[in-house]
Amino acid sequence: MLWTLLMILAAVALDQWTKYLAVTHLQPIDTMPLMEDILHLTYLENRGAAFGMLSNHRWVFMILSTVSILLILVWLFKEKPKSWWIRASAAMIIGGGIGNMIDRVALGYVVDFIDVRAIDFYVFNVADSFVCVGCGMILAWTLYMEFVAKKPAMDILLGTDNKSEEKQETAQAEENAAGENNNAE
């Protein structure tokens, strides 16, 4: 769990450091092309949710983000997933959520600066990237578990796979014991 907490802290630190750089270096100049009309660094104050949706509903996002972060943290500490992939995914989601939460609480908006113009996409930040990549990693893991490894991904994530196996083993042991008793008679 220590590594998971360190990953969360690293994600928050990287996000806040890049936002600091955006505020100090991009805000005065507005935009800086890295590759003209493909990738720019553009200072933007996002008062909405991901990608600027539902602006000026800060408290809704703060409540939803806080509840989501707390639920994932509780799940991490309760279930202690064995998969480093899942722990890293959860750490990225939590770290990104905390990074944007810091902005919402301290500033009233989220600092965005990564501007992919080649596909006319929204301006976003490192925290958004962590959340999206973390979710994508969980999706990839789930698809792998379900379709390649043929294991129930949700049972593994929710910690019910061990309980099901224990019940099956107990039932099998009881059947064996009953069979032995019947044979002894």
Side-chain angles (χ1 to χ4, degrees):
M1 281 323 264
L2 178 62
W3 286 108
T4 305
L5 292 174
L6 290 174
M7 285 188 285
I8 293 169
L9 291 174
V12 172
L14 181 61
D15 173 64
Q16 290 299 298
W17 178 64
T18 57
K19 288 174 180 173
Y20 167 78
L21 293 174
V23 169
T24 56
H25 298 291
L26 287 176
Q27 189 176 23
I29 62 171
D30 188 43
T31 191
M32 180 176 77
L34 297 178
M35 290 183 279
E36 191 67 45
D37 296 326
I38 296 174
L39 179 64
H40 287 228
L41 297 177
T42 303
Y43 180 82
L44 180 74
E45 295 175 358
N46 180 353
R47 297 179 191 282
F51 313 120
M53 295 182 291
L54 300 169
S55 16
N56 297 318
H57 289 84
R58 173 176 104 140
W59 294 104
V60 172
F61 305 123
M62 289 174 63
I63 291 167
L64 290 174
S65 294
T66 301
V67 168
S68 298
I69 291 166
L70 289 174
L71 286 173
I72 296 170
L73 277 170
V74 166
W75 172 78
L76 270 174
F77 283 99
K78 182 179 174 231
E79 296 300 329
K80 296 178 180 56
K82 293 177 183 82
S83 168
W84 66 268
W85 185 272
I86 292 299
R87 289 192 311 272
S89 303
M92 292 172 77
I93 294 167
I94 293 167
I98 291 171
N100 279 341
M101 180 69 69
I102 290 170
D103 283 16
R104 281 197 178 92
V105 170
L107 305 172
Y109 55 85
V110 174
V111 174
D112 287 334
F113 57 90
I114 302 169
D115 186 3
V116 181
R117 294 185 176 186
I119 56 173
D120 193 29
F121 196 66
Y122 296 96
V123 179
F124 57 99
N125 60 41
V126 171
D128 297 334
S129 299
F130 277 128
V131 171
C132 290
V133 170
C135 289
M137 287 172 62
I138 288 176
L139 176 62
W141 179 87
T142 301
L143 293 172
Y144 171 80
M145 294 305 286
E146 290 288 339
F147 298 110
V148 177
K150 303 288 188 201
K151 294 182 180 178
M154 288 309 293
D155 289 347
I156 294 169
L157 285 175
L158 298 176
T160 56
D161 66 322
N162 293 338
K163 294 171 188 158
S164 298
E165 287 175 15
E166 289 170 9
K167 285 180 185 177
Q168 289 174 352
E169 288 172 6
T170 303
Q172 184 66 36
E174 289 172 357
E175 285 178 26
N176 291 344
E180 289 173 10
N181 287 342
N182 289 340
N183 290 340
E185 293 174 1

